[in-house]
Amino acid sequence: MRHRRKTVKLQRPADHRRALLSNLASSLITHGRVRTTLAKAKALRPVAERMVTLGKKADATDDAAKKVHYRRQAIAFLGQKDVVKKLFEEIALASSDRPGGYTRITKLGARQSDSAPMAYIEWVDAYTGPGEEEDEEETAVAESK
């Protein structure tokens, strides 16, 4: 029986699964949205939310040693310092008011080649930098004309 066994194995060995989830999490942080299979999106959700929680913990603490510790934990999993920098400085700050549930999974239907169910996974509180909100409003006005 599978009682209390939470790990989604994705038919891969442990090291391959860890690398897959690390790469998907890096892509999600970099691009803001990833198109993947539904099973991979569901497996990625707790990983991505754990990374945002590390960023929020680092932001909330005043202890410099703890800030470095949380950043090193994220670097150990993601493996890219620039991705961790974006995670801690943009995504974690944008999600600072939300107590959890930082990602959204949107089902897309079946992939044509093998009928695998596809989905988008994206951030709920998408970071919009200065000037980006104005561009979106101008685009919406231009499209309505």
Side-chain angles (χ1 to χ4, degrees):
M1 285 187 241
R2 284 190 40 95
H3 295 300
R4 297 180 60 118
R5 295 179 190 262
K6 206 171 181 180
T7 304
V8 179
K9 293 190 177 181
L10 300 173
Q11 299 181 355
R12 288 166 171 79
D15 55 346
H16 187 184
R17 185 172 53 248
R18 179 179 161 85
L20 171 77
L21 293 175
S22 172
N23 288 332
L24 280 173
S26 296
S27 296
L28 179 62
I29 293 165
T30 304
H31 301 292
R33 179 166 83 167
V34 176
R35 182 175 189 248
T36 184
T37 62
L38 184 60
K40 289 178 189 173
K42 287 181 177 182
L44 175 61
R45 173 181 268 169
V47 171
E49 297 200 0
R50 196 170 308 122
M51 292 294 117
V52 174
T53 302
L54 284 175
K56 285 176 60 175
K57 282 183 182 179
D59 187 47
T61 186
D62 293 331
D63 187 9
K66 284 189 177 184
K67 286 185 180 197
V68 172
H69 175 67
Y70 294 133
R71 191 171 289 263
R72 285 181 177 166
Q73 282 183 322
I75 291 171
F77 185 79
L78 296 172
Q80 300 174 11
K81 289 184 181 180
D82 56 336
V83 172
V84 172
K85 183 177 180 181
K86 181 174 181 177
L87 170 70
F88 278 51
E89 293 177 2
E90 296 176 9
I91 296 169
L93 291 179
S95 301
S96 61
D97 297 336
R98 184 174 292 276
Y102 312 114
T103 57
R104 171 188 304 129
I105 295 176
T106 308
K107 295 180 183 180
L108 297 175
R111 183 165 50 196
Q112 189 172 5
S113 62
D114 61 354
S115 297
M118 299 298 289
Y120 275 125
I121 182 167
E122 59 190 349
W123 300 114
V124 174
D125 297 322
Y127 171 74
T128 54
E132 291 180 13
E133 293 174 353
E134 298 166 2
D135 295 338
E136 291 174 4
E137 292 174 4
E138 291 173 6
T139 306
V141 170
E143 290 176 357
S144 64
K145 291 183 181 179

